[in-house]
Amino acid sequence: MNSQPKIIAFCCNWCSYAAADLAGISRLQYPGSIRIIRVMCSGMVHPEMVLHALNKGADGVMIIGCPLGECHYIKGNEMALARAEVIADTLEDQGFDSERFQVAWVSSAEPERLAEIFREMSARLAVLRGTPQVEAVIGD
Amino acid sequence: MRPRLSFEWLHACSGCEIALLNSGELLLGLLERVEIVHFPLLMDHKYTNRADGEGELNLPEAEIGLVSGGVASEEHLAVLRAMRARCRTLVSLGTCATHGGIPALRNQWPIATALKTVYAGPEEGTPIPDTVLASLDRVYSIDEQVPVDVSLPGCPPRPESIIELLEALLAEESFHLPCKSVCETCPTIRTGKGQQKVRRFLANAEYDPEKTVAEMRCLLEQGLLCMGPVTAGGCGGKDAPLCIRARVPCRGCYGPVRQGGNQLLDMLNALASNGMGHRDIVDRRSLLRFSGAHGLLKPLRERK
Amino acid sequence: MNQVISIHPVTRIEGHARIDIHLDESGQVCDARVGIAALRGFEQFVVGRPAEEIPRIVNRICGICPWMHHLAAVKAIDGCFGVTPAPAGHLLRELCQVLAHIHDKILHFFFLAAPDFVLGPAGDYAVRNIMGLVRQEPELAAQVVRMRQLAQMMLERFAGKAIHPVAGVVGGFAKPMREEERQGLLADSRILLDFASSALDYAKNRVFSRFCDGLQSLGTITTGFLGTVDHQGALRLYDGQLRLMRPDGTTVDFPANEYERYLAEQVEPWSSAKMVYARSWGEGFSLDPNAPRGVYRVNTLARINVCDRIATPRAQAELEAFREQFGRPAQGTLLYHWARLIELVYACERTLELLADDRITDPAVRIPATPRAGRGIGHVEAPRGTLIHDYSTDDNGCITRANLIVGTTHNIAPMNLSVRQAAASLISAGEVDDEMLNRIEMAVRAYDP
């Protein structure tokens, strides 16, 4: 059984995904249980996708987009920020600890920062894992 | 032999049955072509032989069974299972049946808390009646308990839609609700740019009462919370949605646009994506006031 | 041999109920109970909600009388927020309320109750229902269906939704009435009034005349009564003073916000529906059939008993004729049906009166409200009886506490007494047949629970 927390990370094609590529080439270390899903813009991640991931057993979910002001589509990350607020507000309602969701802004030239963010998230969730498991919601 | 229809109502308010009766002469026409074999509101077919108060539920066989209301007690469950067993095609009628409806608001609290509140007496420790103790842990929609063949949401469903559904079933054709979301038939003026703050409905919307609904500005753009974008459409047929005709914003009584949708997440998301104040909403959990079944509404955990 | 005979479900009522009749060793009725097993818990799930949303939630308490809960709640929230509605708002609310009474009474009398009288209480159950009525009297049935639909469609045309309304709002009403709408409604209301008069004539000739004995005896008990009257003691459905009458006919009037001084709720372990009794009589509460204490009734018979008169002419004439025949207060349980049709005439006449009032087309229909902490008690006379909604709010205008006394609740205790009386008068030596059981149900149906 994989002892590391399973994390789904929605990474924007133009920044954080590129940073992850760079992290790989540079042989930077971060937990192998991070699953990266490439999206064209952080703004396209619907809150339901985050909830779906948590319901299906992810320990945590991240949305990592371009720093504000640098979005390839101008305002997509502003939408991501607003949507992230929605997720943060409603996670407790749905029965999940708020630590299970994180949004971050990483540029394509910051692979070390990306790896750091992944390591910190994984460590936080490992602590949470010691607490009673939240019951998954039936269906979706 | 005429096709047999059987009706039951569970955790219901009887609004769906009244909607059916409101179809007036359409219903009279239908009655000539079917045989109603069980319908507690209108006819005296009973569950049990009188000699022995308990025993198997004596529900007749039927080609079409319609059940309204959610499932909240052992008795509801028994009646529902009997309907599923005896009816070839089972229809869940109304939003309580399809999504839990208003009574599923109770799911925000543990059942014990709700009972205490309702029966709170002047003295401590007023007893809870025995009959109520057979409540289930929460309010369920019908499809959470048995397989359902057709769902017709609405609070209540439009009378014409109920008749159309029955006609389709009798002709063995398929039936679909006419439109996806409430906005689809709403004729109000939408400019794409509206208020950013969302305010409570403490004063009427802005409109000219001498002009039609089509000349009124979209209520959501006026800054009123209107759940049209995240609610299944059809309440007014092909014409303006009913609440909009009353110049009042939609509160989502037909349930989500998609069968498994989450009206709270969808609405907050819609507001956030359009730069509107999703944090202005007081009591956001009531966005699920019609669709609290399927585990969507539940008691908040104690935060450690 | 002790035996329990169950009628389950009670049919042709507007909800879920069962009757359990207990027989002792010699086959005599020793107890009879009406069990209403529905608990939704509205008093819990309105807590924490913005008060102005409540009228659109509590209307779902009942799909037959949603306007009643809607308006009682709206009035209570006006009280919480300290807002006095615009006059046109009041008129429009009352118009919708009396219109809603009309469809309800037609439904109850013709769809639910009449089959027992017109087709006979002993008839085959497959025939003794509205479908049987349609086959036996197709013209009457078609007219009844059309009239009921007309009353509902009038509400929908003007107020958007007839079932589970939304147009009543804190501070008034959601939309004003245009002159063209008013004329259309006036024309339809005249049709309804003519129908109401002919319905009462039909009932007197074809229904009540055939059941003279039953009208006075089946399920008949001696109780007090509760209704609503205006300042001149005339029947009023929308607003006014509550009037509580003792069995001996003496009365006391009080405003709805003092209800807790006069009425008290009681929980019995065998009934999930609470019961209410007259606390102010100082005799406590007892369901002993030989010596009931604190028991009073609501709903149509109660309202016409407590009022001194009815302020509209045709209904007043009918009331006078009724009183000449049955006295005041009239205790015969089946007389509820007669009283229901008198009220139907009043509701139609009142609709015309309201529409004739020029203020009803005033465009100022709503005063904006500001949320605040407060308590408000709103009441209306629902078809089923006096309806009281009592809410308290916090500084943010959200509900902290709710107490709801619905119309049927007041009648739970009397219904139990009536069923006991009916069962005891019909059943002896343990012999029971379907007709007897249906007659016992008729004692419940009269209350339109």
Side-chain angles (χ1 to χ4, degrees), chain C residues 147-446:
Chain C
M147 290 295 109
R148 218 201 124 255
Q149 188 183 24
L150 177 62
Q152 285 283 61
M153 289 307 110
M154 287 164 72
L155 275 168
E156 190 169 290
R157 251 169 34 216
F158 173 58
K161 286 186 80 164
I163 305 175
H164 298 324
V166 297
V169 291
V170 58
F173 209 75
K175 61 177 279 252
M177 181 176 287
R178 294 189 336 267
E179 184 58 38
E180 172 197 327
E181 287 174 306
R182 179 191 185 190
Q183 293 306 322
L185 290 170
L186 270 167
D188 287 334
S189 303
R190 288 180 199 114
I191 297 174
L192 285 176
L193 177 56
D194 285 340
F195 170 74
S197 294
S198 67
L200 189 46
D201 286 339
Y202 171 86
K204 282 194 255 183
N205 294 328
R206 295 287 310 281
V207 174
F208 302 141
S209 58
R210 294 169 61 188
F211 288 87
C212 278
D213 298 331
L215 286 177
Q216 291 282 51
S217 64
L218 182 67
T220 291
I221 51 180
T222 302
T223 67
F225 298 96
L226 178 70
T228 297
V229 295
D230 67 16
H231 296 300
Q232 281 113 29
L235 170 72
R236 190 97 188 279
L237 295 176
Y238 174 68
D239 209 2
Q241 300 273 87
L242 292 177
R243 176 173 285 180
L244 179 62
M245 175 184 273
R246 282 183 183 261
D248 65 7
T250 55
T251 66
V252 65
D253 290 357
F254 58 96
N257 57 19
E258 289 181 17
Y259 78 93
E260 285 171 313
R261 285 179 49 201
Y262 294 84
L263 312 174
E265 291 180 88
Q266 170 89 0
V267 178
E268 293 287 331
W270 49 268
S271 170
S272 63
K274 291 183 272 187
M275 295 189 218
V276 198
Y277 65 95
R279 177 209 298 268
S280 60
W281 292 347
E283 56 187 45
F285 174 64
S286 167
L287 276 180
D288 178 342
N290 301 313
R293 293 203 309 268
V295 180
Y296 65 88
R297 293 188 270 185
V298 295
N299 197 315
T300 58
L301 183 64
R303 288 191 285 261
I304 68 159
N305 276 336
V306 306
C307 74
D308 300 324
R309 60 190 191 86
I310 299 181
T312 60
R314 287 200 215 184
Q316 171 64 10
E318 295 293 345
L319 178 64
E320 283 168 13
F322 178 91
R323 281 190 173 153
E324 248 189 64
Q325 197 169 348
F326 301 108
R328 178 190 181 196
Q331 297 276 1
T333 297
L334 289 192
L335 291 173
Y336 264 95
H337 297 300
W338 198 312
R340 194 161 287 119
L341 293 175
I342 297 178
E343 274 197 348
L344 175 62
V345 173
Y346 164 71
C348 294
E349 291 184 292
R350 182 66 183 149
T351 301
L352 283 163
E353 266 185 3
L354 289 163
L355 287 166
D357 187 333
D358 287 326
R359 294 174 299 165
I360 207 169
T361 49
D362 184 358
V365 290
R366 185 177 188 184
I367 310 280
T370 309
R372 60 158 215 193
R375 183 177 179 191
I377 297 171
H379 106 273
V380 296
E381 286 290 333
R384 252 124 249 117
T386 311
L387 175 62
I388 298 173
H389 280 227
D390 175 356
Y391 299 108
S392 302
T393 49
D394 63 20
D395 291 321
N396 206 21
C398 294
I399 303 289
T400 55
R401 185 204 137 263
N403 189 30
L404 311 175
I405 303 186
V406 309
T408 301
T409 303
H410 307 269
N411 276 346
I412 303 288
M415 265 197 289
N416 275 281
L417 289 174
S418 282
V419 164
R420 176 83 185 260
Q421 189 272 9
S425 69
L426 288 167
I427 298 175
S428 60
E431 282 178 22
V432 180
D433 64 33
D434 284 336
E435 181 183 342
M436 284 183 204
L437 293 180
N438 189 43
R439 282 183 185 262
I440 294 170
E441 280 185 272
M442 284 169 70
V444 170
R445 276 182 206 122

Side-chain angles (χ1 to χ4, degrees), chain B residues 46 56 63 93 107-108 121 156 196-197 199 203 209 214 218 227 230 265 294 296 303:
Chain B
K46 307 295 182 186
E56 253 195 50
E63 276 61 59
L93 180 66
N107 290 354
Q108 264 184 263
Q196 291 187 312
K197 272 198 75 58
R199 60 178 191 276
C218 162
M227 292 177 64
V230 306
L265 271 186
H294 300 112
L296 292 184
R303 194 71 179 99

Side-chain angles (χ1 to χ4, degrees), chain A residues 83 85 89 93 97 137, chain B residues 269 278-279 284 298 303:
Chain A
R83 285 172 140 185
E85 283 180 356
D89 290 347
D93 295 353
D97 292 295
V137 174
Chain B
N269 178 61
H278 60 274
R279 285 185 164 154
R284 60 167 181 263
K298 50 183 178 257
R303 194 71 179 99

